Amino acid sequence: VDEDNRSTTYRILEGDLLKDYKSLLITFQATSKGEKNFLNWTYEYEKQNLDVPAPDHMFDFASEVSNIIDAYFLKNQDHFQA
C-alpha cells in the first residue's frame, strides 16, 4: 500500500495464473480530477513463453471490481466527503 500515491499493488504468488505467467503484478491507483474520481488499473506481467496470450481476460475482472467499488462509494458518499 502506497498512501502517498493512493495505490495498492498485488503480486500473484501462486495459483493457476502462474502456469502462464512467470510474474504478475496488479496495481490500482485512485486519482482525482476536480470533483471526479478515477480508479486506474495497471498489469505488469512476464509470459512463461511466447505462445501465452496477454491477460486480456483480466480486464473484465478489473471492470467488474471497479463497478463494485464505484457503487459502494456512491451509496456511502456522505461518509467520504470532507
Side-chain angles (χ1 to χ4, degrees):
V1 174
D2 182 342
E3 291 184 19
D4 291 335
N5 289 315
R6 299 170 49 187
S7 67
T8 300
T9 300
Y10 292 95
R11 179 182 306 272
I12 305 303
L13 299 174
E14 60 184 35
D16 290 342
L17 288 172
L18 293 183
K19 291 177 185 175
D20 291 330
Y21 306 100
K22 292 179 184 179
S23 63
L24 179 60
L25 291 175
I26 302 169
T27 301
F28 56 89
Q29 180 180 26
T31 58
S32 299
K33 205 177 243 188
E35 297 269 329
K36 298 196 181 237
N37 299 304
F38 303 92
L39 187 60
N40 302 302
W41 291 74
T42 304
Y43 294 90
E44 296 177 49
Y45 59 91
E46 181 180 357
K47 298 177 183 182
Q48 291 283 4
N49 60 62
L50 294 176
D51 296 328
V52 173
D56 294 339
H57 62 284
M58 296 192 68
F59 298 138
D60 292 333
F61 169 75
S63 177
E64 185 177 327
V65 170
S66 294
N67 287 334
I68 291 168
I69 292 169
D70 189 42
Y72 175 81
F73 280 112
L74 285 173
K75 181 179 176 184
N76 297 289
Q77 62 186 327
D78 292 340
H79 176 73
F80 294 103
Q81 292 178 348

